[in-house]
């Protein structure tokens, strides 16, 4: 089983995106079911979103970042009200890190380590 973490960086300021809410869901048939919620810390991280010592089974997962509320709380207007990242866990003995590089008008993500 695998573990999961995430990190959000505001690339417009070069600073971690502290206080950004996000949700982790797992695909269940044609739908998704919520597994966990989290808020990024001062370093922009949610280190163990799936829970302490919780392992994720192979499957398709979705992280939803509430970017609209985060930008609004900072008095900024962003183009994306939320960012959803779908990814697949295949290796049961690996850690998966899904970072988000964010600005008001763009974002990117990748599989980190």
């Amino acid at each position: 089983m695998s573990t999961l973490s995430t990190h959000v960086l505001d690339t417009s300021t070069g600073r971690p995106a502290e206080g950004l809410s996000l949700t982790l869901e797992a695909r269940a048939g044609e739908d998704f079911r919520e597994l966990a919620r989290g808020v990024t810390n001062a370093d922009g991280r949610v280190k163990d979103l799936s829970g302490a010592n919780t392992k994720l089974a192979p499957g398709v997962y979705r992280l939803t970042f509430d970017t609209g509320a985060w930008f609004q709380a900072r008095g900024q207007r962003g183009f994306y009200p939320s960012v959803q990242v779908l990814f697949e866990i295949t290796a049961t003995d690996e850690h998966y890190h899904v970072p988000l590089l964010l600005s008001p008008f763009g974002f990117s993500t990748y599989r980190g380590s």
Side-chain angles (χ1 to χ4, degrees):
M1 301 292 225
S2 300
T3 56
L4 175 69
S5 62
T6 190
H7 177 235
V8 184
L9 178 69
D10 179 352
T11 59
S12 69
T13 64
R15 308 285 308 152
E18 180 180 6
L20 195 148
S21 297
L22 55 106
T23 305
L24 172 66
E25 299 167 290
R27 186 180 298 182
E30 293 185 26
D31 296 320
F32 282 85
R33 64 179 166 78
E34 185 176 310
L35 298 179
R37 290 181 174 266
V39 177
T40 55
N41 64 17
D43 194 34
R45 298 180 186 277
V46 178
K47 291 187 180 182
D48 193 9
L49 181 59
S50 55
N53 300 317
T54 299
K55 307 291 185 177
L56 296 173
V60 175
Y61 293 85
R62 177 169 66 193
L63 276 171
T64 302
F65 298 87
D66 190 2
T67 55
W70 187 80
F71 280 120
Q72 184 176 27
R74 281 146 189 78
Q76 291 180 289
R77 182 179 165 106
F79 183 67
Y80 301 99
S82 68
V83 171
Q84 292 187 331
V85 179
L86 276 76
F87 59 96
E88 185 172 15
I89 290 179
T90 55
T92 59
D93 60 343
E94 294 183 14
H95 174 77
Y96 288 80
H97 182 66
V98 182
L100 179 67
L101 302 175
L102 179 64
S103 75
F105 300 100
F107 66 88
S108 70
T109 185
Y110 58 94
R111 173 160 182 208
S113 59

